[in-house]
Amino acid sequence: MESYSTSELNKVIRGSNRATYDTKTIHTIIDAGFIGHVSYVFEGTPICIPMAYGKIGDKIYLHGSLKNRMLSSILENEQMSMTIMHLDGLVLARSGFHHSVNYRSVTLFGKATKVEDDKLKTEALKCVIDQMIPNRWDSLRPMTEKELNATLVIEIAIETASAKVRADGAIDEKSDLELPVWAGVIPIKQVAKAPISDQLLEDTVQIPAHVKDYYVKNKN
Amino acid sequence: MESYSTSELNKVIRGSNRATYDTKTIHTIIDAGFIGHVSYVFEGTPICIPMAYGKIGDKIYLHGSLKNRMLSSILENEQMSMTIMHLDGLVLARSGFHHSVNYRSVTLFGKATKVEDDKLKTEALKCVIDQMIPNRWDSLRPMTEKELNATLVIEIAIETASAKVRADGAIDEKSDLELPVWAGVIPIKQVAKAPISDQLLEDTVQIPAHVKDYYVKNKN
């Protein structure tokens, strides 16, 4: 599938020149993060909550406590949605009207189902941890049965999605170009600082390759 | 008011030890950002959209096109909510179960109303721009009447809110402390890179103080 189908649900109306339904673009944006905002409705009020996610193929995995209100709600609802956004820059134009931001965002839609199978549950939790920091899972002790039983894992098969991407300079009115106003872009990036070892760490435990790799890749 | 009132709507159940309703904490978290996720419902599906915001006192301002589906929806609904989150670190524990993130987040609730008065509309747009980068607005040409008429401005009087803050190391099972697994925190920060001047900028226009200040304050 090269692109997601569009309907009234996911079709981008405002700023449609920045919209795409291209599958590869959408998955690249999802893969670039590990926290998205999941929406639900509580007694008539829509609310969204930031959640860590993992992805295997076209399926998104969320996890939480068995009693998590949001997760319970999306399991009950016919359809859920989730938004992932990366901020890439402040776009400072010569007029307030044309100020903007550079960003990559995806809103995906699907139905939430509970993962019951312990093997898939474990794989899903692995992909959530490795989405946060690649290759982490294999350095950890295995999950206990008690932990697995205390964890609710939700699978969302992506049914459709849309992305919006802005990666451009300031776009001003022609009549404003000669104004003595500075215009341009301030790039924004999410970076990692040097890892801080736990105070209770055994002296013999060194910072492992996957943590060093993450830091080196994300420090600038 | 020292803290927001709690009800079923905003009371944090999961991880309640990390929750606060303290007004000052909540406003500090809001002030530290300029993009939040606003939730709405489209034909039964809850969706959230990242939006720039400004704040004057206890009021949040959003803006968009007159035909913005999300803004129209929150104007119709009795109550809206918005979530603002700052990611501060990856918390890597000795077990997958205790992995977490450090963060500051706020979910605020209120009723959206349309701002009709041109003076307040202009003040609201100023505060949205200055929330993104302080002292920007005063360097710009004034809004035109045409621009003002093409812009929908929404005011949300914050009725209640909750914050969750995690700023801690890994919290592991005692029985895991002697495992040969590295644990600790990788701090995460959103930083600014050097400003890039617009290609069409007049030669005489230098990078102004408010842009330099923003860069210096946020580059590390």
Side-chain angles (χ1 to χ4, degrees):
Chain A
M1 184 172 61
E2 286 189 1
S3 69
Y4 288 103
S5 63
T6 59
S7 69
E8 268 200 65
L9 189 68
N10 72 322
K11 189 145 181 69
V12 175
I13 312 293
R14 312 313 311 168
S16 56
N17 57 321
R18 311 233 177 257
T20 176
Y21 308 91
D22 175 65
T23 307
K24 196 178 160 195
T25 304
I26 286 169
H27 279 262
T28 301
I29 293 170
I30 298 171
D31 291 342
F34 77 100
I35 288 181
H37 283 68
V38 179
S39 304
Y40 74 111
V41 180
F42 178 73
E43 295 183 356
T45 301
I47 304 177
C48 69
I49 302 281
M51 295 292 287
Y53 62 83
K55 182 168 80 72
I56 301 175
D58 218 29
K59 299 203 168 79
I60 296 286
Y61 293 94
L62 307 175
H63 77 294
S65 152
L66 295 180
K67 291 179 183 169
N68 186 298
R69 181 169 90 178
M70 183 273 288
L71 293 177
S72 305
S73 169
I74 66 169
L75 278 175
E76 282 165 25
N77 211 8
E78 194 59 35
Q79 193 154 38
M80 64 80 71
S81 82
M82 179 170 182
T83 296
I84 294 143
M85 188 229 189
H86 312 296
L87 179 65
D88 294 327
L90 313 185
V91 180
L92 307 177
R94 292 159 181 87
S95 63
F97 194 74
H98 288 294
H99 273 61
S100 187
V101 292
N102 283 336
Y103 63 97
R104 291 157 290 148
S105 80
V106 161
T107 299
L108 62 90
F109 299 87
K111 184 161 171 43
T113 53
K114 187 173 165 181
V115 177
E116 307 276 7
D117 177 68
D118 276 357
K119 189 159 168 275
L120 179 54
K121 247 176 119 164
T122 306
E123 277 172 31
L125 292 167
K126 176 184 193 299
C127 88
V128 170
I129 297 280
D130 285 348
Q131 184 86 25
M132 178 169 152
I133 169 167
N135 304 312
R136 177 75 184 156
W137 184 266
D138 288 341
S139 77
L140 307 173
R141 68 154 170 79
M143 292 276 285
T144 65
E145 204 181 319
K146 192 182 159 195
E147 288 171 341
L148 210 54
N149 290 340
T151 307
L152 175 62
V153 176
I154 304 272
E155 177 182 284
I156 297 130
I158 305 175
E159 282 163 20
T160 192
S162 64
K164 277 182 89 173
V165 177
R166 190 190 194 282
D168 209 342
I171 300 172
D172 274 300
E173 302 295 327
K174 264 195 182 165
S175 53
D176 285 341
L177 291 179
E178 291 180 11
L179 287 176
V181 176
W182 187 84
V185 171
I186 305 179
I188 300 286
K189 197 156 181 266
Q190 185 178 286
V191 300
K193 300 284 173 183
I196 301 164
S197 294
D198 187 51
Q199 289 182 331
L200 301 175
L201 205 66
E202 299 283 303
D203 290 342
T204 51
V205 180
Q206 302 296 312
I207 297 182
H210 67 271
V211 172
K212 282 184 193 161
D213 288 350
Y214 180 88
Y215 172 60
V216 169
K217 197 179 160 197
N218 291 284
K219 71 178 176 175
N220 289 313
Chain B
M1 184 171 62
E2 286 189 0
S3 69
Y4 288 103
S5 63
T6 59
S7 70
E8 269 201 65
L9 188 67
N10 71 322
K11 190 144 179 70
V12 175
I13 312 294
R14 312 314 312 168
S16 56
N17 58 322
R18 310 232 177 258
T20 176
Y21 307 92
D22 174 63
T23 307
K24 197 177 159 193
T25 305
I26 286 169
H27 280 262
T28 301
I29 293 169
I30 298 172
D31 290 343
F34 77 99
I35 289 181
H37 283 69
V38 179
S39 303
Y40 74 110
V41 180
F42 179 72
E43 295 182 355
T45 302
I47 305 175
C48 70
I49 302 282
M51 294 291 289
Y53 61 84
K55 182 168 80 72
I56 301 174
D58 218 30
K59 299 201 169 80
I60 297 286
Y61 293 94
L62 306 175
H63 78 293
S65 152
L66 295 179
K67 291 179 183 169
N68 186 298
R69 182 170 89 179
M70 183 273 287
L71 293 177
S72 305
S73 169
I74 66 169
L75 279 174
E76 281 164 25
N77 212 8
E78 195 59 34
Q79 193 153 37
M80 64 81 69
S81 83
M82 180 169 180
T83 295
I84 294 144
M85 187 230 190
H86 313 295
L87 178 66
D88 294 328
L90 313 185
V91 180
L92 307 178
R94 291 159 182 87
S95 63
F97 193 74
H98 287 294
H99 273 61
S100 187
V101 292
N102 282 336
Y103 64 97
R104 291 157 289 147
S105 80
V106 161
T107 300
L108 62 90
F109 299 87
K111 183 160 171 44
T113 52
K114 187 173 164 182
V115 178
E116 306 276 8
D117 176 68
D118 275 357
K119 190 158 167 277
L120 179 54
K121 247 175 119 164
T122 307
E123 276 172 31
L125 292 168
K126 176 184 192 302
C127 88
V128 170
I129 297 281
D130 286 348
Q131 184 86 25
M132 177 169 151
I133 169 168
N135 303 312
R136 177 74 185 156
W137 184 266
D138 288 340
S139 76
L140 306 173
R141 67 154 171 80
M143 292 275 286
T144 65
E145 203 182 319
K146 194 182 158 195
E147 288 170 343
L148 210 54
N149 290 340
T151 307
L152 176 61
V153 175
I154 304 272
E155 177 181 283
I156 297 130
I158 304 174
E159 282 162 22
T160 191
S162 64
K164 278 183 88 174
V165 176
R166 190 190 195 283
D168 210 341
I171 299 172
D172 274 301
E173 302 294 329
K174 265 193 180 166
S175 54
D176 285 339
L177 291 179
E178 291 181 10
L179 288 176
V181 176
W182 187 85
V185 172
I186 305 179
I188 300 286
K189 195 153 184 267
Q190 184 178 287
V191 300
K193 299 285 172 182
I196 301 164
S197 295
D198 186 52
Q199 289 183 330
L200 301 176
L201 205 65
E202 300 282 303
D203 290 341
T204 52
V205 181
Q206 302 296 313
I207 296 181
H210 67 272
V211 173
K212 282 184 193 160
D213 289 349
Y214 180 89
Y215 172 60
V216 168
K217 198 179 159 197
N218 291 284
K219 71 178 175 175
N220 289 314

